[in-house]
Amino acid sequence: MNPGTFLVIDDSKLHHQMYHLIFSRSELTGSRLLHAYDGREGYELFMAHPELTLVFLDLNMPVMNGLEFLHRRQAEGMHPQVPVVLVTTESTAEDEARGLEAGAWGYLCKPFAPEQLLALVGRASSRLSQRIAHP
Amino acid sequence: MTGPEHPFAALLAEYVAECLPLAEEVVEGALALERAWQEGQSADELFGPLKGTLHTIKGNSAMMGLAGLQNLAHRLEDLWGVLAADPASRDAGAPLFVRGTGLLADLVRGTASGPPPEGAAADYLEEVEAFLASERGAREAAREERRSPDRRTSDRRNPKAGGEVGADGAVATIRVDSRRLDALLESFGEAMIAHAGLGEAMRQLNRRRGTTGELTQLERAMLGLDRTLKRLESALMETRLLPISTVFSRFTRLVRDVAHSEGKRVRLEVAGGETRLDKTVIDRLGEPLVHLITNAVTHGIEPPEERESRGKPAEAVITLRAVQRSDRVILTVTDDGRGLDPEAILRKARALGQAPAVEAPSLAEIFALAFLPGLSTAQRVSQHSGRGVGLDVVASSIRALSGNVSVGSEPGRGTTFLLRLPLTVAVLRSLLVEVDTERYALPLVDVAETVRVLPETLYQVARQGMMTWRGEVIPVMDGGLLLGGGAAESRRYCVVLRSAARHRGVMVDSLLGHHEVVVKALDPSLGRPPAVAAATILGDGRVACILDTGRLADGWVEPVAAAAP
């Protein structure tokens, strides 16, 4: 697994720090982390960075939520090669299906351990474009 | 718990910095909600943000490994769900919710100096658990909740949408304008009448032509229709039933306000809020209950000093209880105040020329007089009870619902009002009788028994009879006289009516059996004949009067000599 460029879209500052902590303590250290605090800000960054390795997208956010982000991306066909992982606190099979339909590559369910996040990144970078089981 | 080994232990300060303002926001929101509810506003706009904020706190706590906080936030979300879905739960639930948000903020604040100890909110969580279980029980009992009890399903509720989505993604419940339900009921009533007409025509045909193959087929089809209509009726009734807690919930505040302005200390206790009644009954029950409860606080309950001097607790208790008994609901309003004064009631009744017929009336008979118009024994007019709210008003509004009301009291110990209400209002289970070739329906709720009367067991006294029934001497009245016709000694059947004070009988020519009749309100321009409550259309198309059994019983105050064989 090589360092890359990651976009974190989450309205919680705390979560950004968590991502930072996880990345800095792993083999991904040296990766570039881009931070956005709502969906719209995130989408602007997303458009500007076709080289992204992976996007972590929180589901519940102000301004533009995770699903709205995915729908817009789908409608605009923006960077389909970049995997987007939807991050939720509690999700049902239905939520998950809706997210996958809207083009999410995978799911990450809070609370997650650093290892779970890293495993997901590993699978994404090996470009296994398949649905990921609930961590 | 976040130990030093936890991957995010270093972020505790950041956690507090982010979550404390959120927790404080939740506290503010919960307080604002409680205030709004107390003022009778729905405050729906406060709901959404509160839920989102709680969700964020839960997520953050979970990531930090702060299981206690995660759990507390989670339970508060559950509580939020109940409060959002069921306004009746708010009286008890809102203070619990407010307390929990305060606890949440305290725990988050404390996390700055380390994760909260395990079990920090255990007592509170237990309380919430009990509350949620009782709410769940009430809801399940009310069978309101048709969808899966899966908690996560309820998280998906969207109070703004017209429906709820079940686990399979299909719409499981929808909201319907209650006027549509009323229209549906009206049409169902017409179908019932048409059905009865069809049945009657078939019997005629049978009588004239004898049984034929076609008739047998018709009969079979009728039986099927019969069953379908029965099912339709119960399904329709089911959709109209609401838990009585929807009216109960507003009385806590009423009691507090009235007690406060009267300088009294009163607590309201409620039981059986999950009991269900037809929406129409619920709608029309509020007013009489407000009268009864206000009366209890202003007149029934003594000032605290007086209570203490009588060895009672300074704080009085009013209990509102509902229970279902077969096809009716019994509602009681009980206070532990001074009780009714039988002497005063008797004096007033005599002054009004309404003295009871018997020489030594029983307490029950005296208390029944309390429902006579103009008989209010209150010594002063208070701001809340005023003059206009006599018990006769309460009695007539309950009777308008085909129910009845009675009162029991023990001087010095308290008073209980007992309301019997039908579960449904549109279809009335009645006894059909014939008097002078006219048919009448009597609500079965009020019929204690029907008996065949032998002439030698009936004693005529001034055109009114007395008879012995189950060891009790009861007054009996001729049905013809009662309904504006003449008396006839040939009547052999007696319908014994239930009454608050004493059973009474009505003599009729014949009994035609039990029927479910569709209640049709009387045209107001006709006025209201004294003994008639409403009308119905029978199978043969004839209109029959539904008798106001409660009023009939109460109207009987003409002198009847003491029972004497």
Side-chain angles (χ1 to χ4, degrees):
Chain A
M1 207 155 43
N2 301 315
T5 308
F6 296 87
L7 171 58
V8 178
I9 312 174
D10 198 307
D11 59 331
S12 159
K13 228 176 117 185
L14 179 67
H15 276 84
H16 287 278
Q17 284 167 314
M18 287 174 177
Y19 283 101
H20 179 77
L21 212 59
I22 294 171
F23 277 87
S24 65
R25 287 181 187 170
S26 73
E27 48 187 300
L28 290 174
T29 186
S31 289
R32 186 174 172 216
L33 278 189
L34 304 173
H35 300 280
Y37 293 86
D38 65 54
R40 192 189 295 159
E41 195 189 338
Y43 198 81
E44 281 162 14
L45 274 174
F46 178 68
M47 286 195 295
H49 292 274
E51 80 285 7
L52 283 168
T53 313
L54 194 113
V55 177
F56 293 100
L57 176 68
D58 190 32
L59 181 62
N60 294 306
M61 278 183 302
V63 188
M64 179 194 270
N65 70 29
L67 271 184
E68 286 162 350
F69 179 105
L70 287 171
H71 284 140
R72 182 168 167 196
R73 180 228 195 177
Q74 207 168 35
E76 296 177 1
M78 189 64 67
H79 310 331
Q81 77 286 358
V82 179
V84 177
V85 172
L86 204 51
V87 185
T88 65
T89 298
E90 229 171 31
S91 68
T92 59
E94 198 193 321
D95 285 337
E96 194 171 335
R98 217 177 284 164
L100 293 171
E101 245 168 61
W105 178 83
Y107 248 88
L108 196 55
C109 207
K110 288 185 220 171
F112 52 84
E115 304 75 58
Q116 285 173 297
L117 185 147
L118 294 172
L120 195 66
V121 174
R123 267 174 293 181
S125 34
S126 65
R127 290 279 179 257
L128 278 177
S129 215
Q130 66 186 27
R131 185 181 152 171
I132 290 169
H134 233 65
Chain B
M1 227 198 292
T2 310
E5 74 289 350
H6 194 277
F8 302 130
L11 296 176
L12 266 185
E14 279 82 359
Y15 167 83
V16 177
E18 178 161 313
C19 288
L20 189 53
L22 294 178
E24 280 166 351
E25 219 172 88
V26 172
V27 174
E28 289 294 312
L31 283 169
L33 263 182
E34 189 188 39
R35 255 194 317 274
W37 287 338
Q38 278 173 359
E39 282 156 18
Q41 299 158 8
S42 71
D44 285 342
E45 73 284 355
L46 294 172
F47 257 123
L50 208 51
K51 161 101 176 166
T53 313
L54 274 173
H55 198 73
T56 305
I57 296 173
K58 178 172 79 172
N60 288 351
S61 306
M63 282 304 289
M64 294 296 293
L66 299 166
L69 272 155
Q70 175 193 355
N71 205 8
L72 179 56
H74 184 89
R75 276 335 209 176
L76 285 170
E77 272 188 294
D78 287 347
L79 200 50
W80 178 94
V82 170
L83 294 175
D86 179 11
S89 68
R90 291 172 185 174
D91 271 349
L96 191 64
F97 187 62
V98 168
R99 203 143 53 79
T101 57
L103 187 58
L104 183 73
D106 287 347
L107 288 183
V108 171
R109 200 174 292 118
T111 305
S113 52
E118 215 161 328
D123 288 351
Y124 177 77
L125 288 173
E126 242 169 65
E127 229 177 295
V128 173
E129 212 67 60
F131 177 79
L132 292 174
S134 80
E135 283 294 316
R136 218 165 18 238
R139 264 206 310 275
E140 266 157 28
R143 271 173 289 152
E144 268 194 336
E145 214 75 351
R146 275 153 214 264
R147 59 206 163 75
S148 123
D150 179 7
R151 182 182 40 72
R152 294 198 294 186
T153 312
S154 69
D155 280 348
R156 275 210 306 279
R157 307 182 80 149
N158 176 0
K160 284 193 187 108
E164 278 168 24
V165 177
D168 55 357
V171 174
T173 64
I174 55 168
R175 281 173 203 210
V176 178
D177 187 328
S178 64
R179 280 168 301 190
R180 290 193 186 188
L181 283 184
D182 290 344
L184 211 56
L185 195 64
E186 181 81 8
S187 304
F188 170 75
E190 302 297 334
M192 285 285 279
I193 291 167
H195 171 254
L198 217 55
E200 185 61 34
M202 212 176 65
R203 271 187 292 281
Q204 299 279 352
L205 209 61
N206 199 346
R207 225 168 287 148
R208 220 167 289 167
R209 296 275 171 88
T211 306
T212 63
E214 287 90 346
L215 210 53
T216 313
Q217 241 175 337
L218 195 59
E219 258 168 10
R220 206 170 296 148
M222 276 294 285
L223 267 177
L225 183 61
D226 209 42
R227 275 197 297 271
T228 309
L229 280 175
K230 280 247 158 58
R231 273 204 302 273
L232 187 60
E233 185 203 343
S234 58
L236 200 52
M237 293 310 155
E238 185 75 18
T239 58
R240 297 179 54 87
L241 295 179
L242 286 176
I244 201 163
S245 54
T246 48
V247 268
F248 279 6
S249 58
R250 53 199 247 219
F251 294 131
T252 310
R253 196 173 156 74
L254 176 78
V255 165
R256 195 168 52 212
D257 290 352
V258 179
H260 185 255
S261 71
E262 292 281 318
K264 292 174 182 174
R265 289 178 52 196
V266 189
R267 187 174 79 238
L268 180 72
E269 285 186 357
V270 168
E274 71 284 0
T275 312
R276 297 189 308 160
L277 271 170
D278 189 279
K279 188 189 154 296
T280 311
V281 182
I282 297 255
D283 287 347
R284 294 204 233 143
L285 200 54
E287 206 173 316
L289 281 179
V290 167
H291 287 344
L292 286 179
I293 290 171
T294 312
N295 273 337
V297 179
T298 50
H299 305 311
I301 284 162
E302 317 88 330
E305 319 77 63
E306 187 183 330
R307 289 179 62 88
E308 274 174 336
S309 72
R310 287 171 196 270
K312 289 173 164 186
E315 184 182 53
V317 179
I318 294 179
T319 312
L320 203 53
R321 190 186 303 274
V323 63
Q324 191 187 333
R325 290 272 174 272
S326 68
D327 63 345
R328 77 192 87 149
V329 166
I330 313 282
L331 209 67
T332 53
V333 182
T334 305
D335 68 64
D336 63 351
R338 53 170 75 96
L340 298 178
D341 179 354
E343 289 306 313
I345 294 174
L346 212 49
R347 256 197 321 273
K348 280 272 182 76
R350 290 209 174 100
L352 289 169
Q354 302 269 28
V358 287
E359 262 174 42
S362 67
L363 268 185
E365 281 170 298
I366 296 173
F367 290 147
L369 297 170
F371 295 102
L372 290 173
L375 205 134
S376 173
T377 62
Q379 284 159 11
R380 66 198 169 85
V381 174
S382 79
Q383 178 201 336
H384 288 284
S385 294
R387 265 184 201 288
V389 293
L391 287 176
D392 58 313
V393 177
V394 172
S396 60
S397 41
I398 296 299
R399 273 185 221 130
L401 292 167
S402 302
N404 63 45
V405 56
S406 57
V407 61
S409 181
E410 208 178 320
R413 300 285 297 276
T415 307
T416 295
F417 286 90
L418 195 146
L419 283 65
R420 287 192 195 80
L421 297 159
L423 270 184
T424 65
V425 280
V427 176
L428 190 65
R429 291 171 218 290
S430 338
L431 173 70
L432 221 55
V433 302
E434 201 168 57
V435 178
D436 295 334
T437 72
E438 279 298 323
R439 290 174 179 189
Y440 299 93
L442 289 90
L444 267 184
V445 170
D446 292 328
V447 175
E449 199 177 339
T450 52
V451 282
R452 192 178 151 79
V453 179
L454 299 172
E456 57 268 32
T457 57
L458 196 63
Y459 310 97
Q460 289 289 329
V461 183
R463 278 182 146 188
Q464 272 200 18
M466 302 295 283
M467 71 166 207
T468 315
W469 176 74
R470 292 178 180 250
E472 191 185 338
V473 178
I474 64 167
V476 174
M477 196 169 182
D478 184 89
L481 268 186
L482 206 60
L483 296 158
E489 290 195 10
S490 59
R491 302 192 223 283
R492 281 294 153 259
Y493 293 94
C494 180
V495 180
V496 181
L497 298 180
R498 254 182 255 280
S499 153
R502 177 189 272 228
H503 289 87
R504 294 161 201 265
V506 180
M507 295 303 295
V508 300
D509 294 324
S510 51
L511 304 172
L512 304 172
H514 294 181
H515 286 260
E516 291 187 349
V517 301
V518 179
V519 181
K520 294 274 167 196
L522 293 175
D523 187 330
S525 67
L526 292 174
R528 194 175 138 128
V532 176
T536 186
I537 301 168
L538 300 175
D540 57 4
R542 280 157 71 181
V543 173
C545 291
I546 299 172
L547 298 187
D548 188 338
T549 36
R551 195 183 286 218
L552 282 182
D554 279 5
W556 274 338
V557 282
E558 291 138 65
V560 176

